[in-house]
């Protein structure tokens, strides 16, 4: 049985800034994985599915925190990054009371939660590894990478613009205005901007059939980190759409024909077949935390 701490206010005074924490029984201190579920930044529900992650990770000696950051209705960027920073600071500062090891912190998330994981790992001190499923990584290039015919799925009303560049898109709401009219802020909100040699190890999983966050977003982050000489792996799922995220690890149809490529210190492996499972995620965190 894990110890559970619910509704932890990591930054008092505003809604949306809450953590749920699942800690293995025993003295610890335990390495910590911070999970965030995606919502397109439209809801402060990042804690959702943290219990699913904890059921897999707690028995293997990892504490899990479910992280909610404020939605785009509550704040605009960089408010969400400030939330990520403060949540990590709170958990590391209070690690002894929770039974955590403040020097072994990783991040894990999907979609906009994958964005939070990647952005946190690349910008916040103290994060040692990140796993990101289908993350937006370069906001300005998303429409150009969309699969044929998928931009029409973003229609607001007849005659409106389409896609992520739409003034009412999730990305435009994150920035507080039309995405392409705020290029500098969009770059600041893009994990790709911070890819460098000092980046912690990153594992990215992305479906080639993703109709919401195009596969090229995961590929761009992999290429940037590999070019910089960082430790990075990209698992490509040819038959996967934009989730459901756990199917990337459990559904044979979704995982069929998956391949992986990795790079360490600028040395890249060849593309090879793989079968992503929960052991893939656990093995990654074991190696780096």
């Amino acid at each position: 049985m894990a110890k559970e701490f619910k509704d932890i206010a990591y930054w008092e005074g505003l809604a949306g800034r809450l953590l749920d924490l699942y800690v293995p029984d025993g003295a610890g201190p335990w390495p910590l994985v911070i999970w965030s579920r995606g919502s397109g930044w439209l809801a402060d529900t990042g804690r959702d599915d943290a219990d699913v992650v904890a059921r897999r990770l707690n028995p293997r000696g990892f504490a899990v925190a479910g992280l909610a950051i404020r939605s785009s209705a509550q704040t605009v960027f960089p408010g969400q990054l400030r939330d990520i920073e403060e949540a990590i600071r709170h958990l590391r500062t209070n690690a002894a009371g929770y039974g955590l090891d403040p020097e072994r912190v990783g991040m894990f998330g999907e979609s906009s939660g994958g964005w939070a994981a990647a952005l946190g790992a690349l910008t916040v001190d103290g994060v040692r590894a990140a796993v990101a499923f289908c993350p937006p990584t370069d906001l300005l290039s998303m429409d150009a990478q969309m699969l044929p015919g998928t931009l029409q799925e973003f229609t607001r009303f007849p005659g409106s613009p389409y896609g992520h560049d739409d003034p009412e898109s999730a990305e435009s709401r994150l920035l507080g205005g039309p995405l392409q009219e705020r290029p500098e802020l969009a770059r600041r909100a893009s994990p790709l901007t911070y890819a460098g040699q000092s980046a912690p190890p990153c594992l990215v999983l992305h479906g080639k059939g993703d109709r919401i966050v195009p596969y090229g977003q995961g590929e761009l982050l992999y290429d940037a980190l590999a070019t910089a000489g960082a430790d990075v792996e990209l698992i490509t799922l040819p038959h996967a759409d934009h989730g459901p995220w756990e199917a990337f690890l459990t559904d044979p149809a979704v995982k069929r024909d998956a391949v992986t490529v990795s790079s360490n210190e600028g040395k890249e492996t060849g593309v090879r077949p793989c079968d992503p499972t929960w052991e893939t995620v656990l093995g990654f965190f074991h190696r780096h935390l």
Side-chain angles (χ1 to χ4, degrees):
M1 292 289 292
K3 298 184 286 289
E4 298 183 7
F5 305 86
K6 295 294 186 71
D7 300 325
I8 299 168
Y10 61 83
W11 198 345
E12 297 286 353
L14 287 176
R17 294 163 160 171
L18 294 172
L19 291 164
D20 290 339
L21 186 59
Y22 304 82
V23 182
D25 279 336
W30 306 104
L32 171 67
V33 173
I34 301 172
W35 160 263
S36 191
R37 174 75 188 267
S39 69
W41 306 284
L42 299 175
D44 55 14
T45 53
R47 296 181 291 167
D48 288 1
D49 288 348
D51 57 335
V52 175
V53 178
R55 283 197 295 270
R56 298 284 186 167
L57 270 61
N58 283 165
R60 303 292 288 273
F62 293 93
V64 172
L67 169 61
I69 59 177
R70 286 173 293 171
S71 72
S72 56
Q74 294 164 317
T75 189
V76 297
F77 189 85
Q80 289 80 7
L81 178 55
R82 292 183 62 209
D83 292 351
I84 295 166
E85 293 169 340
E86 187 62 20
I88 294 169
R89 186 206 65 78
H90 175 88
L91 287 164
R92 297 186 74 208
T93 300
N94 296 282
Y98 294 129
L100 310 176
D101 185 339
E103 302 306 318
R104 293 191 289 165
V105 176
M107 299 198 71
F108 184 14
E110 62 92 29
S111 193
S112 61
W115 169 90
L119 190 65
L122 295 174
T123 64
V124 183
D125 289 341
V127 180
R128 290 178 48 175
V131 176
F133 286 26
C134 48
T137 65
D138 180 24
L139 303 187
L140 292 169
S141 70
M142 293 180 75
D143 272 5
Q145 295 179 332
M146 291 292 284
L147 291 170
T150 56
L151 284 179
Q152 285 78 355
E153 297 176 8
F154 288 79
T155 306
R156 290 184 292 132
F157 50 85
S160 75
Y162 296 135
H164 300 280
D165 292 347
D166 186 313
E168 295 297 327
S169 73
E171 291 76 23
S172 293
R173 290 172 184 264
L174 174 69
L175 302 184
L179 171 61
Q180 295 293 343
E181 294 180 14
R182 290 164 167 73
E184 183 53 38
L185 187 59
R187 281 188 282 271
R188 288 174 57 201
S190 296
L192 189 73
T193 299
Y194 309 98
Q197 187 174 16
S198 62
C202 293
L203 171 63
V204 180
L205 288 83
H206 214 130
K208 274 203 165 181
D210 197 321
R211 302 171 67 85
I212 296 176
V213 178
Y215 168 76
Q217 293 287 294
E219 197 172 38
L220 279 175
L221 183 60
Y222 171 83
D223 288 343
L225 289 169
T227 299
D231 186 344
V232 59
E233 180 178 1
L234 172 65
I235 294 178
T236 300
L237 299 102
H239 307 289
D241 199 337
H242 192 68
W245 70 268
E246 195 180 8
F248 285 16
L249 306 175
T250 60
D251 188 328
V254 172
K255 299 190 298 171
R256 181 165 55 88
D257 302 324
V259 295
T260 182
V261 62
S262 60
S263 181
N264 181 257
E265 297 182 350
K267 298 177 182 178
E268 189 173 80
T269 66
V271 177
R272 57 199 188 278
C274 71
D275 179 22
T277 67
W278 274 104
E279 289 299 319
T280 306
V281 173
L282 282 158
F284 175 83
F285 283 130
H286 271 296
R287 289 193 299 276
H288 300 297
L289 299 184

